[in-house]
Amino acid sequence: MNVFLANNSGLGDYILMNGATRYVAAQPEVNRVHLLCVGTHNKFTQVKWMYRDNPNIIVYGEPAAHSFSQARKKIRKRAQRIERQFPNLHKRAFFWGSQDWYGMMPRFGLDCLNNCWPELFYAAHQAPYSARHGYFHVDRDKDKEDKLFNSLNLPSEYAFCVDVASLGRCRINFSNTKLPIFKPHSRPDLIESYNIFDWMTVIENAAELHTVDTGWFHLIKQMKLDKKKYFYHVRQMNELKNVLTSCYINDEHDNGWEILDGNGKVFK
């Protein structure tokens, strides 16, 4: 059986769906997974790199969409092309606007107060949410990670801080840390030269982790690190209304996150 997968196109979405994609590919009845990445070429290369160890996961690229309807059209066309080669293709694809996420949850037996949107995404791909951590894997390039880490000449203790998301830079007060602050986006030359996974050693060696809701957060969450971790809840959007009542930030696999507002105060 061949399975076609597609989902919302943030890099964080692809990182958190790593476990779902690998879970589907690991099922005995599945011969191959065809995964569509709608986005920039840089994003496509990072997603493709993430699955380079598994020849049964094929990643296709489509240019970034300008609207949700255009993204869904791209998904339909790619699925049709693949279906010509594999007539019995199983399609598990979606591209939902955030305003629709909570409305979709009851269709999959989920609760808007206690469940989070990643659980919805996993249900849509017919994967248990436990696979997010149980099946997550990145075949790391330690040599490249070490090269990047050594080039930074960081102090023995530092805070890794991310204040840039897909919509741009966020106004964050990092005054609650006394450590030297390092922001990866302060080195745009390295952001261009290395993919997000090459920063994993830099992240692991940080004494504290501070991040807004972005792909960096989802990568850090998948790493399940036992150290001081701070999530800055600055996106007051509908899809993030239950950060305190769901497992979006803290779950049984990765917890200990302190949720703050943009001023560095405890979020309530």
Side-chain angles (χ1 to χ4, degrees):
M1 180 172 76
N2 283 265
V3 179
F4 174 74
L5 300 179
N7 54 257
N8 288 43
S9 61
L11 184 56
D13 297 310
Y14 290 112
I15 292 172
L16 77 88
M17 294 302 287
N18 176 296
T21 302
R22 291 186 182 275
Y23 172 86
V24 173
Q27 300 313 296
E29 70 275 14
V30 175
N31 298 319
R32 188 166 292 170
V33 166
H34 304 265
L35 174 65
L36 179 61
C37 173
V38 178
T40 63
H41 181 70
N42 178 271
K43 186 179 297 180
F44 165 71
T45 58
Q46 296 196 70
V47 174
K48 187 175 181 179
W49 186 94
M50 188 165 57
Y51 297 111
R52 73 193 192 286
D53 61 298
N54 192 328
N56 292 327
I57 300 175
I58 302 175
V59 182
Y60 303 85
E62 283 285 348
H66 302 296
S67 65
F68 286 100
S69 60
Q70 186 185 55
R72 288 190 283 267
K73 184 176 181 180
K74 288 175 179 287
I75 290 171
R76 286 194 299 270
K77 286 189 174 181
R78 176 63 69 169
Q80 290 168 356
R81 289 166 60 183
I82 297 174
E83 198 168 22
R84 295 190 192 106
Q85 186 176 358
F86 303 100
N88 295 320
L89 184 70
H90 287 241
K91 296 184 282 290
R92 305 175 190 177
F94 62 89
F95 204 102
W96 294 322
S98 58
Q99 70 275 9
D100 301 322
W101 293 353
Y102 287 98
M104 296 295 296
M105 282 187 173
R107 301 186 188 184
F108 293 90
L110 299 174
D111 177 78
C112 298
L113 180 63
N114 298 311
N115 294 113
C116 59
W117 61 265
E119 291 177 284
L120 171 66
F121 283 19
Y122 267 67
H125 277 182
Q126 298 177 30
Y129 190 61
S130 60
R132 176 176 182 179
H133 296 286
Y135 280 80
F136 177 81
H137 176 70
V138 171
D139 188 17
R140 296 170 63 172
D141 185 341
K142 289 293 292 182
D143 289 340
K144 195 174 181 184
E145 289 182 39
D146 290 342
K147 180 180 178 182
L148 171 59
F149 177 75
N150 293 331
S151 72
L152 295 173
N153 295 313
L154 293 166
S156 58
E157 287 196 326
Y158 58 93
F160 184 87
C161 300
V162 178
D163 59 1
V164 176
S166 58
L167 298 178
R169 189 173 299 278
C170 305
R171 298 182 64 180
I172 302 296
N173 185 342
F174 293 119
S175 61
N176 60 324
T177 183
K178 305 303 180 184
L179 297 175
I181 290 175
F182 174 74
K183 300 180 182 181
H185 289 89
S186 69
R187 294 295 305 272
D189 55 324
L190 298 179
I191 291 292
E192 292 295 326
S193 304
Y194 293 88
N195 67 43
I196 192 172
F197 307 102
D198 295 327
W199 292 84
M200 292 174 76
T201 292
V202 178
I203 293 169
E204 284 176 334
N205 284 304
E208 295 177 3
L209 301 167
H210 301 249
T211 182
V212 294
D213 189 10
T214 183
W216 294 94
F217 162 68
H218 290 289
L219 176 60
I220 293 168
K221 185 168 179 63
Q222 295 305 136
M223 294 171 71
K224 297 183 287 189
L225 300 171
D226 183 16
K227 58 183 63 189
K228 292 183 177 180
K229 297 176 290 189
Y230 302 90
F231 177 89
Y232 292 79
H233 185 36
V234 294
R235 291 177 62 188
Q236 304 296 327
M237 299 172 67
N238 183 60
E239 74 270 23
L240 293 176
K241 64 184 178 183
N242 61 3
V243 294
L244 298 178
T245 59
S246 73
C247 62
Y248 184 64
I249 308 300
N250 290 302
D251 59 34
E252 62 178 310
H253 302 281
D254 173 67
N255 48 60
W257 288 88
E258 189 169 347
I259 304 174
L260 308 175
D261 61 21
N263 294 316
K265 304 298 182 181
V266 175
F267 180 79
K268 298 179 181 180

